[in-house]
Amino acid sequence: MTTNSIKNLQFQIGEWVFSPAERTLFHLEQETNVDLDQRTAQLLHLVIQRANEVLSREEIIEAIWDRSVVTDHAVTQSIFELRRVLRGNRTDAPNYIRTLPKLGYQLVIPVSEIVSGDGPTASPTAKTTAPGPLAAPSPLANRPRAGRHCQPCHPGRRRSKDGRATGW
């Protein structure tokens, strides 16, 4: 791949086109650009490159922070920020990144690689990468968390047999 084609490399993720070289996201429907800070752009590029894999926190820290001493909170905040940018102002936007408890994060939407000369509306040559099989959910993932909406705090609140809150 030539230097020029690397510069023009873009990825389509759902309704977004990401340009790693420019660190921008272009929304196809709203036709708006969003500038990303360096870490958010690096994180998005990393999850795109490893679209079929679950990325652990350690792998993200090693790739983005170059083995600097950072806390898990820094990774959580970066993922939160990336999700916020991808969601935009829409409440019905799809969830692009799935959290797999105790495992890491996985991109859950297909990605198309685009090499073009004129941006996201040019006639691209595309290579699509669909996300791989999702890791099996933890058997504890859907259980009610201790201390949330408990009887002493919320006397009218009840939980059904499957753990869902009812009774408001």
Side-chain angles (χ1 to χ4, degrees):
M1 197 178 276
T2 66
T3 305
N4 194 29
S5 64
I6 291 172
K7 186 176 181 181
N8 294 327
L9 180 67
Q10 297 176 333
F11 300 94
Q12 182 171 347
I13 317 128
E15 57 205 18
W16 293 96
V17 174
F18 172 57
S19 175
E22 297 172 7
R23 295 192 330 226
T24 59
L25 276 170
F26 177 78
H27 196 278
L28 295 171
E29 293 174 7
Q30 298 174 356
E31 296 186 2
T32 56
N33 271 323
V34 176
D35 294 322
L36 302 174
D37 63 68
Q38 183 176 357
R39 283 229 167 91
T40 305
Q42 287 175 331
L43 179 59
L44 180 56
H45 198 202
L46 178 65
V47 297
I48 288 171
Q49 289 174 326
R50 310 256 313 261
N52 294 326
E53 303 173 32
V54 175
L55 287 166
S56 70
R57 289 176 181 268
E58 293 77 24
E59 291 172 312
I60 293 172
I61 289 170
E62 186 175 322
I64 307 298
W65 282 272
D66 195 30
R67 299 185 197 138
S68 298
V69 178
V70 295
T71 64
D72 285 349
H73 182 70
V75 176
T76 302
Q77 279 301 115
S78 294
I79 293 288
F80 172 80
E81 178 64 23
L82 181 55
R83 284 177 173 151
R84 186 189 63 76
V85 168
L86 291 171
R87 184 178 54 245
N89 295 330
R90 296 180 46 198
T91 57
D92 64 335
N95 187 11
Y96 290 86
I97 299 171
R98 178 177 178 199
T99 300
L100 301 164
K102 306 291 183 193
L103 295 175
Y105 302 95
Q106 184 179 32
L107 188 66
V108 292
I109 198 156
V111 176
S112 298
E113 186 177 310
I114 304 169
V115 179
S116 67
D118 297 328
T121 57
S123 59
T125 57
K127 179 176 77 175
T128 301
T129 305
L134 299 176
S138 166
L140 303 176
N142 293 327
R143 71 183 168 116
R145 295 184 182 180
R148 295 217 178 184
H149 302 292
C150 59
Q151 282 300 114
C153 298
H154 303 283
R157 191 77 168 186
R158 303 273 189 269
R159 293 212 177 264
S160 63
K161 288 181 182 179
D162 64 351
R164 293 186 185 175
T166 60
W168 280 107

